[in-house]
Amino acid sequence: MARDIDDLPKQPANYTALTPLWFLERAATVHPNRTAVVHGSQRYTWLHTYRRCRRLASALSRHSIGAGATVAIIAPNVPAMYESHFGVPMSGAVLNTVNIRLNPQTIAFLLGHSESAVVMVDQEFFKLAEDALKILSETKTSYNPLLIVIADPSCEASSLKYALGKGAVEYEEFLESGDPEFAWKPPEDEWQSIALGYTSGTTASPKGVVLSHRGAYLMSLSGAMIWGLNEAAVYLWTLPMFHCNGWCYTWSLAALCGTNICLRQVTAKAVYQAIANQGVTHFSAAPVVLNTIVNSPKEDAIHPLPRLVHVSTAGAAPPPSVLFAMAERGFRVTHTYGLSETYGPSTVNAWKPEWDSEPPIAQARLNARQGVRYIGLEGLDVVDPKTMNPVPPDGKTLGEIVMRGNLVMKGYLKNKKANEEAFAGGWFHSGDLGVKHPDNYIEIKDRSKDVIISGGENISSVEVENVLYGHPKVFEVSVVAREDERWGESPCAFVTLKEGVKKEDEERLAVEIIKFCKEKMPAYWVPKSVVFGPLPKTATGKIQKHVLRAKAKEMGPVKKSRL
Amino acid sequence: MARDIDDLPKQPANYTALTPLWFLERAATVHPNRTAVVHGSQRYTWLHTYRRCRRLASALSRHSIGAGATVAIIAPNVPAMYESHFGVPMSGAVLNTVNIRLNPQTIAFLLGHSESAVVMVDQEFFKLAEDALKILSETKTSYNPLLIVIADPSCEASSLKYALGKGAVEYEEFLESGDPEFAWKPPEDEWQSIALGYTSGTTASPKGVVLSHRGAYLMSLSGAMIWGLNEAAVYLWTLPMFHCNGWCYTWSLAALCGTNICLRQVTAKAVYQAIANQGVTHFSAAPVVLNTIVNSPKEDAIHPLPRLVHVSTAGAAPPPSVLFAMAERGFRVTHTYGLSETYGPSTVNAWKPEWDSEPPIAQARLNARQGVRYIGLEGLDVVDPKTMNPVPPDGKTLGEIVMRGNLVMKGYLKNKKANEEAFAGGWFHSGDLGVKHPDNYIEIKDRSKDVIISGGENISSVEVENVLYGHPKVFEVSVVAREDERWGESPCAFVTLKEGVKKEDEERLAVEIIKFCKEKMPAYWVPKSVVFGPLPKTATGKIQKHVLRAKAKEMGPVKKSRL
C-alpha cells in the first residue's frame, strides 16, 4: 500500500470478506416471515430458506465437504436449486451448476473436470446423470460422488423411485440430517471461489468459469442497482439458475428480501400466468424467450398487464423489432450484455429520458445497443485486439469488446493457456466484435467467429438477422457463413416461420425473403441461401451457430452460376 | 486463503481496488449532459463535474499533494464541496471535511492534528480559518498550508476580497491551473484512506475518524439500496457534506447519475422551494430539521407535495410524533441510525408492509426504532458490554449497540488507546444503549452517558423526551440528569416552546408539562425540573447534552423538600 495518513490495520471489527451469503442471514433476520421461494404449492419464507440452507451446509460438512470441494447440481429452477446457491458455499464448497440440456458425454466431462464430490440432481434428470456417471466410471475408476436426488411432486413418481432404487439420497432427507442452526462461516478470503459454471457448447470443449465470493457480492448489488430491482421485488425464474447463477440474481433476491417464483418449464402462457397470479414484477430472459412472448397466441397473453413488468434481457443481441413489440405489450425491457466470464451481464443499455420523445422504432434501435459498463465493472472498451488501442467512437470502426475489473471471472479452471489468452494485455477478451458510438455506448456487431467474410468485406451476421426479423413471416432467424465459389463466403439464413404461415412453397418464400433483403441492405449482405426449419439451441436459448455452420458446410459451396 | 479449487491469482483484468471514484468516470461517460450539480444559477453536467474534479486533482498534484497528504475543506454545501469528494482522493490525498460551526480553537486543533497540507475554505468562513491558523501558528511554527478560497456569488464581495488580499488562491483559478484530462489513478489498495472526519463536540477532544476507499464504495451502494435512492434521483443537500461525507450520498449520487441540489442554508422554506422548483425527490436531515419542517408556518409549506419526497433521517432518535407529522405532510421517512465511525447511518428501520394496516401513531412508533443492519454491515447486535453476550430479544434488556463489518471505520487517527477501546472484543462499540425487540429490530434507549440513574433505576432520557414531544406546546426538548439530594439524579427537561405559545408564566407552564408527564410515564421518570429556552446544538443539529448537563450542574441539586 502507498504511504497512508496512519497505520490502521484491518481487524475483525472493520473488515469482513465480501460474500453474498450474508444477504440470506439478513433476509431471515429482517423479514423472517416474508415469502422467499414459491414452487407450485410449496412456499418457503426467508427464515425457512435460511434454515434449509444451513441444514444443507451442515449435512455437506458431515460428509466432509468443505473448502476445496465442488458440489454439482443438475436441476431446473426448483427450490433446491436456489438453496444450493447458499447452502453449498456456506459449507465452504464451490457450486457447479450444470446445464440440464447437455448430453451425457458432456456432463461426464464436466463432472470429471470439476471433480465434483457431490452430485445433486433433479429426479427428472437422474437418468441423464446416471448415464454421465457411467461414462465417467469407464475412464475414472475411483470416481464415486455422493448422489442426491431432488424430488419434485410435479414429476412422475417413477423417476424418483428409480433414483432411490439406485442408492441416491433424497434431498429432503439429506436436509433432515443437517443442523438448521449450523454455524456457517464466511470465506477467510473473499477471493475464494463460490461458483463454477461451464461455458455452453458454442465451442468444442467447455471451459470452467470460476467466480469468487467478492465478485458474486459485487455483481448481486450492481445487477440490482442497474436494473432497478427493488426491495421486495417478485422475481420469476424464467432464466435458468444454471446460467451464470441466474446472472447472480439468485443472491440479489436475498439482498433485497424479494420473492423467487420458480418455473420448471418456460412458456409464454406460464409467464403470463405467473404475472397474473403471483404478482411478478421482474423476470429475465434471452431474446429468444421474448420472441416467444411477443408471438404467443392471443388467448395466452394478458393485455393490459396488471402492473408494469420489468424484463432484463441478455445472451444475444435482441432484434429491435422484438424490443419494440415487448414495449408495445407493456413490458419495460432493460437490455444488458455480458458473458459467463463476467458473472453474466455486465453492460447495460442505460435508458436516457431524451429517448422518450423518439419514435418507438428508433427507441428500440437505440435500446438494441449493448451500452455502458455496470457500476461494478471498472473498464469497458472496444479495442483493436492487436494493439489494444481503443477504436474511435464513430459507430463504425470494428474492434473487440474488452472488459476489466471486479466483475471479471477469476479464470478458467485448470486451463492456463485459455487464461493467458483471455487476459492478454490486462483486459478480458470477450471475443465479441463491436463498435463504440459517439455517445460512448457500445454495440455488438458479431462474435469474432460469426463474421462473414464475403469478397473481402466483413458482414455482420447480427445486422442481417436484425433486418430479417422485420419480415412479417419470420419468427426466428440465424445467419452464418456458407462457402461460396465466387465470394469465398456468403450469408446463409436459417429461418423459422411464424405459426400459421403456409410452408408449402419454400422456394417462393425464399425468393420473397431475398427480395425483402435486397430492398433493405447492401447487395453483398443479402443471403444467397435461405433454409427453413427449427433452429438448434443451447439450454439458455442461444442459437448454436456452430451447428448451423456445420449444416451449411454439408450443403457445399454456393455455385458460381447460381443466382 | 483456505484450499481452493484452483490457483487463479488476482490480475489487472479481474481485480481493481474498490473506490467510489469510478462512479464519477462512469457518470461522465453514460450521462455527460445530465445535470450533476446545481447551486443557484450555477449548473454543472456530469462531464463538467468530472473535468473539474480532474482539474482539482491535477492542480493538487502539481503542488505535490498526493498519497499520505490531507486536504481540509471548510465549506457549506456548495459545488466545490461536492467536487472535493472526488478531486482530492483522485490526487491520492485524503479529504478532511471540517464542520463550519466549530470555533477557531477546535479548527486549529483539527488542522494541526490532521496535518492538512491544503485548506480549502468558503469565502464566508475565511476569517474563521484565518483565526484558526493564527492559533495554530503560535504552537506550530512550521505550519503553512496552501490556502484556497472558494468564491460564492451569493456571499458579500468583501469577504472574498479580504481572502485574496491575504494571499489565498481563488478556487476557480486553482482549477484553471489543472488539467481536465488528468490521468488519475485508483488507490493501489482499497484499504487506503479516502476521508477523515472529526467527531462532533459531544466529547471533549474530537477524534479523527478515518474511512477507506473500500468502505466508502460499499457504503455508497448500501445506502442507496437501503433507501431506494434510484437512478437519476434529484437530491437536495440539506445534510451537511462535512458530516460523514454526507452519509456517503456524495458518492452514491455519482453512482446513480443523479442530480445534486446545493443549499447553503437550511430552512423549511428553502426545502419546500427546492421541492417545488428543482424537482427534488430525496433529502436527508437530522430529526431536528424534520421538526422545523413540520412546524413551519403555513405560508412556507406546500400541500400536497408535487410528488412523493423521500427523506432519510438519522443523527438522533426521531420522536414518533415528528415521524407521524412528516408522514401526514406527504414525506416518506426512512429512519436510519449510525455514527461517523460507521460511515454514517448503517442501520435502517426497514418498513414492513404489514405495518401499513397499523394506526398512524403505532406506525410512527414502530418506525422510531433504529432497526436492522444495512446490507453492507455484516454484524449488528445489542450486547452486555462486559461479557459481549447478546441480550435476549425481549425489547427490555438494555445493552450496548455494537457493529462489525465493512461499514466500520479504519480507526481513529493517531489514537491507539481510543482504537483499542472502540474495537474491544472484535466489535465496534457505539456507546449507545439499546434493546433488541422480538422482531430483531434494535432500539436506542440512550447514549451510555445520557442515562439518568434515579434512586438506582435507569431512566432513558430519550423515552422521556419522546413523551414530551407529544405535548402540544413543546417544540423541542432535551432531558438530562440533574443532581438530586434524594434520588441521586433526577430528570431535568430543557424545553423550547412552539411559536405563538405565551411564555409569560413559565412556572405554570412547567407545572402543566409535569402534570402531562405524570399521566403518561412512571412517576420516577417525571422531570423534577423544567427549563425554558433555546437548545445548544452542534452543526449537524445534534443537541449538545453536555452543555445542558453543565447548565443543570450550575443549577445545583434538586432539594429534598422540593415538590
Side-chain angles (χ1 to χ4, degrees), chain A residues 355-404:
Chain A
W355 296 348
D356 288 343
S357 55
E358 295 281 334
I361 193 70
Q363 289 184 353
R365 222 173 278 139
L366 284 164
N367 198 16
R369 304 177 306 161
Q370 280 63 35
V372 293
R373 65 181 178 84
Y374 268 32
I375 290 170
L377 186 74
E378 284 78 6
L380 171 69
D381 216 333
V382 181
V383 301
D384 178 323
K386 276 172 210 142
T387 64
M388 292 306 284
N389 289 332
V391 302
D394 58 8
K396 282 183 221 157
T397 313
L398 216 60
E400 186 177 13
I401 298 170
V402 291
M403 289 99 156
R404 184 160 69 179

Side-chain angles (χ1 to χ4, degrees), chain A residues 1-6 8-19 22-23 25-34 66-70 94 188-193 195-196 210 214 217-218 220-222 224-226 229 231 255-256 348 350-354 372-378 403-415 419 423 426-428 439-441, chain B residues 1-6 8-19 22-23 25-34 66-70 94 188-193 195-196 210 214 217-218 220-222 224-226 229 231 255-256 348 350-354 372-378 403-415 419 423 426-428 439-441:
Chain A
M1 188 152 87
R3 196 164 38 125
D4 206 347
I5 54 168
D6 202 359
L8 295 165
K10 296 170 189 171
Q11 46 184 308
N14 63 20
Y15 187 91
T16 311
L18 296 177
T19 169
W22 286 116
F23 301 157
E25 181 270 344
R26 184 179 182 276
T29 304
V30 180
H31 296 292
N33 302 319
R34 183 178 284 175
T70 298
V94 177
E188 287 166 47
D189 184 318
E190 63 199 36
W191 191 248
Q192 201 154 323
S193 306
L196 167 67
V210 182
R214 172 184 169 97
Y217 176 101
L218 295 171
S220 309
L221 299 192
S222 275
M225 286 190 78
I226 284 294
L229 192 69
E231 215 273 333
L256 296 163
V348 59
W351 188 264
K352 296 197 171 176
E354 52 265 40
V372 293
R373 65 181 178 84
Y374 268 32
I375 290 170
L377 186 74
E378 284 78 6
M403 289 99 156
R404 184 160 69 179
N406 293 303
L407 301 187
V408 171
M409 65 166 178
K410 291 176 69 172
Y412 298 115
L413 186 68
K414 306 182 208 162
N415 202 335
N419 286 329
F423 295 142
W427 288 81
F428 168 68
D439 65 355
N440 296 319
Y441 281 50
Chain B
M1 188 152 87
R3 196 164 39 126
D4 206 347
I5 55 168
D6 202 358
L8 295 165
K10 296 170 190 170
Q11 44 184 308
N14 64 19
Y15 188 91
T16 310
L18 296 177
T19 169
W22 285 116
F23 302 158
E25 181 270 342
R26 184 179 181 277
T29 304
V30 180
H31 296 292
N33 303 320
R34 184 179 283 175
T70 300
V94 177
E188 287 166 47
D189 184 319
E190 64 198 36
W191 191 248
Q192 201 153 323
S193 307
L196 167 66
V210 182
R214 173 184 169 97
Y217 177 101
L218 295 172
S220 309
L221 299 192
S222 274
M225 286 190 79
I226 285 294
L229 191 68
E231 215 275 332
L256 295 163
V348 59
W351 188 264
K352 295 196 173 176
E354 51 265 42
V372 293
R373 66 180 179 84
Y374 268 32
I375 290 171
L377 186 76
E378 283 79 7
M403 287 99 157
R404 184 161 66 179
N406 293 303
L407 300 187
V408 171
M409 64 165 178
K410 292 177 68 173
Y412 298 115
L413 186 67
K414 306 181 207 162
N415 201 336
N419 286 329
F423 295 141
W427 288 82
F428 168 68
D439 64 357
N440 295 320
Y441 281 49

Side-chain angles (χ1 to χ4, degrees), chain B residues 366-418:
Chain B
L366 285 163
N367 198 16
R369 305 178 307 163
Q370 280 62 36
V372 293
R373 66 180 179 84
Y374 268 32
I375 290 171
L377 186 76
E378 283 79 7
L380 171 70
D381 216 334
V382 181
V383 302
D384 179 323
K386 275 171 211 142
T387 63
M388 292 305 285
N389 288 332
V391 302
D394 57 10
K396 282 184 220 155
T397 312
L398 216 60
E400 185 177 13
I401 298 171
V402 291
M403 287 99 157
R404 184 161 66 179
N406 293 303
L407 300 187
V408 171
M409 64 165 178
K410 292 177 68 173
Y412 298 115
L413 186 67
K414 306 181 207 162
N415 201 336
K416 200 158 175 274
K417 192 171 158 279

Side-chain angles (χ1 to χ4, degrees), chain A residues 401-478:
Chain A
I401 298 170
V402 291
M403 289 99 156
R404 184 160 69 179
N406 293 303
L407 301 187
V408 171
M409 65 166 178
K410 291 176 69 172
Y412 298 115
L413 186 68
K414 306 182 208 162
N415 202 335
K416 200 157 175 274
K417 192 169 158 282
N419 286 329
E420 279 167 7
E421 284 171 16
F423 295 142
W427 288 81
F428 168 68
H429 292 256
S430 71
D432 286 327
L433 298 182
V435 298
K436 192 156 51 166
H437 287 278
D439 65 355
N440 296 319
Y441 281 50
I442 64 160
E443 184 173 8
I444 286 196
K445 290 301 173 179
D446 228 330
R447 293 284 305 170
S448 308
K449 60 183 174 302
D450 293 342
V451 167
I452 301 156
I453 304 171
S454 192
E457 297 283 348
N458 284 352
I459 301 171
S460 155
S461 63
V462 173
E463 298 213 44
V464 178
E465 287 159 10
N466 283 348
V467 172
L468 282 163
Y469 269 105
H471 189 284
K473 293 181 183 165
V474 170
F475 174 70
E476 247 174 11
V477 61
S478 183

Side-chain angles (χ1 to χ4, degrees), chain B residues 74 98 197 237 292 305 309 352 427 445 479-480 545:
Chain B
I74 308 171
V98 178
W237 278 105
T292 307
L305 293 176
V309 177
K352 295 196 173 176
W427 288 82
K445 290 300 174 180
V479 174
V480 299
K545 286 207 167 180

